[in-house]
Amino acid sequence: MKSYIINSNNQIELIEKEIPSIGNQQVLLKMYATSLNFRDLLTVEGSYGGKGSTGTIPLSDGVGVIEKIGSEVKKFQIGERVCPTFMPGWIDGTYTKEKARSALGAGEVQGVLSEYIAIDESALVKVPEYLSNEEAATLPCAAVTAWFSLFVSHQLQPGHIVLLLGTGGVSIFALQLAKTAGATVIITSSNDEKLAQAKKLGADFIINYSKTPDWDEEVLRLTNQNGVDIVVEVGGANTLNKSLNAVKYSGTVSMIGVLTGKESNVTTGKILSKKIKVEGVYVGSRKMFEDMNLAFQQNQIRPQIDKVFSFLEAPQAFEYLKSGKHFGKVVVSISERGQ
Ligand SMILES: NC(=O)c1ccc[n+]([C@@H]2O[C@H](COP(=O)([O-])OP(=O)(O)OC[C@H]3O[C@@H](n4cnc5c(N)ncnc54)[C@H](OP(=O)(O)O)[C@@H]3O)[C@@H](O)[C@H]2O)c1
């Protein structure tokens, strides 16, 4: 079979490998499609979570069909279409160091940019039938992260105001999910065309953060100086202080991303004087993924795919994500359904 690995030059390289054998509680998945997340860029360049990933198959997100099952597999059957979860070790309950270490496609944990993968049945989630392979491949990381942030870390209610930063994978899923819950959405972008696309998806207010560097003040103006109920904070170092300014008293800042870096001088006084809940979010559990799929099914949410690359074009898919030109998700197709 063909797989990509991360090589010592911090690039992805196509190699030939044996199709993996499966354990008694595992299945063999023939992969249909995979999708990229910002973390995959960091992983390939060696700056993700301090882990070296040379020799590892990259990417956490994908969908495939079960071709073989181990002798003790109970829940799944040959022919079912499933996604592996981002952290196979996190089924439900409290998040722990061990669960974090199980995240696919980084460190020594093999990922999904491969024609076949072997994976525990406990790490599988059935995907809604109405989604195409390319759409289903976008769910495990970005969509579950948006779900965790809005509905687990925060309890999003109709009428709440949500602030989203940029128009990448997490933010666009958060936009779609927030609108199904009856929330008002304010979204920022560096690009007016992307903002127009976000409006079509239901965004109520748009702000170009390049033209309006004090976007936090604009958010306060739009909310009668009250601020928003929740910020889905994908920016990190250079956006956090503005997010703390833009959120309301007793609001939530979901700490998700590092798009502008990891180290910053935080105005800690704002956190206590406004009693802001600042909570780290790391993707989510299998249970969250399953709950989220019900919301997708119920609302027929269609993941926003910017571009689909072929398996042989996977290096170009990484370049494209790095360019930041995308709106929503970037996908790599591996094989057609049913082939
Ligand atoms: N903690 C977790 O569980 C978790 C899960 C998923 C992702 N993440 C993190 O969340 C972040 C986003 O991930 P992603 O996969 O959604 O990324 P992505 O799809 O690559 O999105 C990147 C987009 O972010 C926007 N952006 C860049 N700099 C910005 C800034 N200064 N202010 C506002 N927006 C900015 C840009 O949007 P415009 O072009 O519209 O300006 C850019 O296209 C990354 O740091 C990633 O590592 C964390």
Side-chain angles (χ1 to χ4, degrees), residues 150-151 154-163 177-186 204-205 222-224 226-230 248:
L150 296 175
F151 299 104
H154 186 76
Q155 280 74 49
L156 193 67
Q157 305 291 324
H160 277 187
I161 307 175
V162 179
L163 173 60
L177 286 166
K179 290 314 295 179
T180 66
T184 295
V185 172
I186 304 174
D204 299 274
F205 300 102
L222 290 169
T223 56
N224 295 323
N226 288 323
V228 299
D229 293 270
I230 172 170
K248 75 178 197 188

Side-chain angles (χ1 to χ4, degrees), residues 292-317:
M292 181 197 79
N293 278 347
L294 296 177
F296 267 70
Q297 178 81 50
Q298 187 69 25
N299 296 286
Q300 298 282 297
I301 298 173
R302 303 226 80 114
Q304 295 298 299
I305 297 175
D306 185 288
K307 208 165 176 174
V308 180
F309 291 83
S310 71
F311 191 52
L312 292 178
E313 293 170 333
Q316 286 94 305

Side-chain angles (χ1 to χ4, degrees), residues 36-39 41-42 48 86 141-142 145 165-171 188-191 194 209 215 233-235 238-239 255-260 281-284 321 324-329:
L36 278 67
N37 292 287
F38 187 78
R39 99 188 260 259
L41 297 176
L42 302 179
Y48 183 72
F86 179 88
C141 177
T145 302
L165 309 183
T167 58
V170 174
S171 298
T188 73
S189 175
S190 56
N191 181 305
K194 291 183 181 183
Y209 64 82
W215 47 266
E233 225 310 337
V234 293
N238 292 333
T239 52
M255 285 306 302
I256 289 175
V258 292
L259 288 167
T260 65
V281 160
Y282 190 42
V283 187
L321 190 81
K325 288 183 187 142
H326 61 289
F327 176 92
K329 297 300 296 180

Side-chain angles (χ1 to χ4, degrees), residues 4 11 32 62 82 106 122 137 158 167 175 225 246 248 258 286 288-289 313 316 320:
Y4 282 92
Q11 287 166 337
Y32 285 142
V82 289
S122 59
T167 58
L175 164 60
Q225 301 302 318
K248 75 178 197 188
V258 292
R286 189 186 81 194
M288 292 182 209
F289 195 165
E313 293 170 333
Q316 286 94 305
Y320 187 68

Side-chain angles (χ1 to χ4, degrees), residues 33 54 56 68 82 117 126 131 173 177 229 237 242 245 266 283 286 305:
T54 305
T56 298
K68 263 190 202 167
V82 289
I117 66 162
K126 248 191 122 198
L131 294 174
F173 276 124
L177 286 166
D229 293 270
K242 287 182 187 296
N245 193 33
V266 180
V283 187
R286 189 186 81 194
I305 297 175

Side-chain angles (χ1 to χ4, degrees), residues 90-323:
W90 194 6
I91 309 291
D92 195 6
T94 311
Y95 173 65
T96 63
K97 195 195 276 186
E98 289 66 38
K99 291 175 184 176
R101 283 185 179 149
S102 70
L104 299 179
E108 287 170 6
V109 188
Q110 299 298 340
V112 301
L113 190 52
S114 181
E115 288 182 310
Y116 288 90
I117 66 162
I119 188 141
D120 294 354
E121 75 156 333
S122 59
L124 297 177
V125 169
K126 248 191 122 198
V127 284
E129 251 323 294
Y130 76 94
L131 294 174
S132 70
N133 292 330
E134 285 76 17
E135 289 169 336
T138 65
L139 299 180
C141 177
V144 177
T145 302
W147 176 265
F148 185 170
S149 175
L150 296 175
F151 299 104
V152 183
S153 181
H154 186 76
Q155 280 74 49
L156 193 67
Q157 305 291 324
H160 277 187
I161 307 175
V162 179
L163 173 60
L164 305 174
L165 309 183
T167 58
V170 174
S171 298
I172 296 304
F173 276 124
L175 164 60
Q176 294 177 288
L177 286 166
K179 290 314 295 179
T180 66
T184 295
V185 172
I186 304 174
I187 190 163
T188 73
S189 175
S190 56
N191 181 305
D192 287 336
E193 281 171 30
K194 291 183 181 183
L195 286 171
Q197 259 177 292
K199 265 231 135 182
K200 277 196 194 144
L201 276 180
D204 299 274
F205 300 102
I206 53 177
I207 304 172
N208 185 317
Y209 64 82
S210 296
K211 293 180 186 164
T212 311
D214 291 334
W215 47 266
D216 50 330
E217 292 299 326
E218 179 62 6
V219 170
L220 289 174
R221 191 189 68 77
L222 290 169
T223 56
N224 295 323
Q225 301 302 318
N226 288 323
V228 299
D229 293 270
I230 172 170
V231 187
V232 178
E233 225 310 337
V234 293
N238 292 333
T239 52
L240 179 55
N241 280 329
K242 287 182 187 296
S243 293
L244 293 172
N245 193 33
V247 75
K248 75 178 197 188
Y249 281 61
S250 299
T252 305
V253 174
S254 258
M255 285 306 302
I256 289 175
V258 292
L259 288 167
T260 65
K262 295 176 190 165
E263 312 290 333
S264 67
N265 292 321
V266 180
T267 313
T268 56
K270 276 241 157 63
I271 298 173
L272 62 101
S273 64
K274 290 169 75 175
K275 202 181 93 50
I276 300 166
K277 173 178 161 186
V278 179
E279 185 173 38
V281 160
Y282 190 42
V283 187
S285 64
R286 189 186 81 194
K287 171 75 166 65
M288 292 182 209
F289 195 165
E290 289 164 342
D291 290 347
M292 181 197 79
N293 278 347
L294 296 177
F296 267 70
Q297 178 81 50
Q298 187 69 25
N299 296 286
Q300 298 282 297
I301 298 173
R302 303 226 80 114
Q304 295 298 299
I305 297 175
D306 185 288
K307 208 165 176 174
V308 180
F309 291 83
S310 71
F311 191 52
L312 292 178
E313 293 170 333
Q316 286 94 305
F318 277 77
E319 285 306 313
Y320 187 68
L321 190 81
K322 198 170 179 181
S323 75

